[in-house]
Amino acid sequence: MAPQTDYIRHAARLARKVHMESALGGPPTPDPEFYKTLAKALEEIAAGLELVSKRE
């Protein structure tokens, strides 16, 4: 079973959005959705690493 990557990719998109907004002169202001998605992405990464380590 492959690890899930949906939240990881979503977090990357939100990070790029925050970066682009700050590049246009605004302050980088991540919204609550960014932090929620980032937390889920980190959970997916941890689960994926655990899955890989169990296979070895």
Side-chain angles (χ1 to χ4, degrees):
M1 182 173 95
Q4 294 295 315
T5 60
D6 296 340
Y7 279 102
I8 299 167
R9 295 187 188 282
H10 187 58
R13 281 191 296 273
L14 289 175
R16 283 192 291 274
K17 177 184 168 204
V18 169
H19 177 262
M20 186 175 14
E21 288 172 356
S22 67
L24 295 174
T29 53
D31 58 359
E33 180 189 2
F34 175 78
Y35 290 112
K36 179 182 173 186
T37 304
L38 181 60
K40 288 290 235 175
L42 292 172
E43 289 173 4
E44 283 186 355
I45 292 168
L49 290 173
E50 289 172 355
L51 182 65
V52 169
S53 68
K54 287 180 183 177
R55 286 186 194 166
E56 294 177 350

